Amino acid sequence: MDKNITSRDGTSLAYESAGRGSTIVLVSGAMSTGGTVAPLAAPLSERFRVVVYDRRGRGASGDTPPYAVEREVEDLAALIEELGGAASLYGVSSGGALALRAAASGLPVRHVAVYETPYALSEEHLAERARYTERLTAALDEGRRGDAVELFLRLTGLGEAVIEGARQSALWAGMESMAPSLAYDDAVMGDGGVPRELLASVPVPVLAIAGDASPAWMREAARAIADTVPHGTYRALQGQTHMVEPDVLAPVLAEFFGR
């Protein structure tokens, strides 16, 4: 990240941009930085000015306690103001929930596209999210960062053997360093259910996308978003999972953001 801005509460945010045209800000999800979504910037920058940034508490950005979701909305507000006063947002996973919150809050947002924002639709899934929140909070309060990362990886559906392999990898230390930000994404997701009142207040066009090779509940969540916002469209991408291929996703986003 080669540029910095200061958010309303004094937190330094790192970002970079590529391309020219109307602005799109890419919002990463849990356990990720702006670099995670950067591969999507290259194909989109052929038509747009594409901005990636490190959300607070991760990467090259700073952090200022206490955390509140409103501070992350203010981060986007500061970024959009720096970039000229209006932008479209793309958010992946829990980053999609943040993008939708930002649009609902009245920020100068033109469009919002989200990919597989993991809202829960069933009582069983909601109960699982509640247990996750309780255990995550305890692990972070007790300084058990590795356990917090494990909880998140299990929530994503990874098996114990894969998690144990991750623990032994060179990447684990970096994952533990980012563990406190898991609480931020958990807060952005609320109770994990579809925030229907909030979604109903989003005034701009929304494209909710899922991969047709992802679990059915992911597609159902995306469809629920599209059905709840006033101006929503649902799209399923053939052969894609939660780890969507940038070259498959980029043309879909370019068509939507170019309207």
Side-chain angles (χ1 to χ4, degrees):
M1 301 290 171
D2 57 3
K3 300 176 183 177
N4 289 87
I5 59 165
T6 302
S7 192
R8 183 177 179 180
D9 70 346
T11 301
S12 176
L13 302 172
Y15 77 97
E16 60 187 25
S17 65
R20 300 179 64 181
S22 59
T23 300
I24 303 169
V25 178
L26 308 185
V27 185
S28 63
M31 292 299 292
S32 62
T33 66
T36 310
V37 290
L40 185 59
L44 285 175
S45 65
E46 296 174 7
R47 290 183 54 185
F48 306 94
R49 182 187 187 190
V50 186
V51 177
V52 298
Y53 76 108
D54 288 338
R55 289 171 56 191
R56 62 173 55 211
R58 59 193 87 189
S61 289
D63 201 3
T64 305
Y67 177 81
V69 176
E70 290 77 14
R71 301 295 83 76
E72 289 220 69
V73 173
E74 290 171 0
D75 294 348
L76 279 169
L79 193 57
I80 291 171
E81 182 177 0
E82 176 74 12
L83 297 168
S88 295
L89 304 178
Y90 165 74
V92 59
S93 197
S94 52
L98 177 56
L100 290 164
R101 282 180 176 270
S105 74
L107 265 59
V109 172
R110 296 190 183 102
H111 314 76
V112 177
V114 297
Y115 188 84
E116 294 196 352
T117 299
Y119 291 130
L121 295 172
S122 70
E123 292 299 324
E124 180 182 3
H125 197 175
L126 284 167
E128 179 186 11
R129 284 301 309 273
R131 290 192 296 270
Y132 168 76
T133 298
E134 180 180 0
R135 293 168 182 170
L136 176 69
T137 301
L140 292 176
D141 285 349
E142 295 165 13
R144 295 184 284 109
R145 291 189 174 191
D147 290 348
V149 175
E150 283 195 13
L151 285 166
F152 172 72
L153 295 180
R154 289 192 189 95
L155 185 70
T156 67
L158 293 184
E160 294 303 317
V162 176
I163 293 172
E164 182 58 31
R167 261 196 178 274
Q168 305 306 317
S169 77
L171 299 175
W172 190 257
M175 296 172 75
E176 284 197 359
S177 71
M178 207 180 295
S181 68
L182 287 170
Y184 302 177
D185 287 276
D186 191 54
V188 166
M189 291 299 299
D191 67 359
V194 179
R196 298 187 184 277
E197 184 175 347
L198 181 143
L199 293 179
S201 69
V202 175
V204 299
V206 173
L207 175 63
I209 315 168
D212 74 355
S214 289
W217 71 267
M218 284 282 198
R219 297 192 296 278
E220 292 164 2
R223 193 181 293 277
I225 294 169
D227 289 346
T228 306
V229 296
H231 312 287
T233 304
Y234 167 74
R235 179 80 179 265
L237 300 185
Q238 185 174 1
Q240 297 301 302
T241 66
H242 199 60
M243 305 300 291
V244 62
E245 295 291 336
D247 289 342
V248 174
L249 178 60
V252 176
L253 294 179
E255 178 188 5
F256 175 64
F257 289 134
R259 294 175 184 170

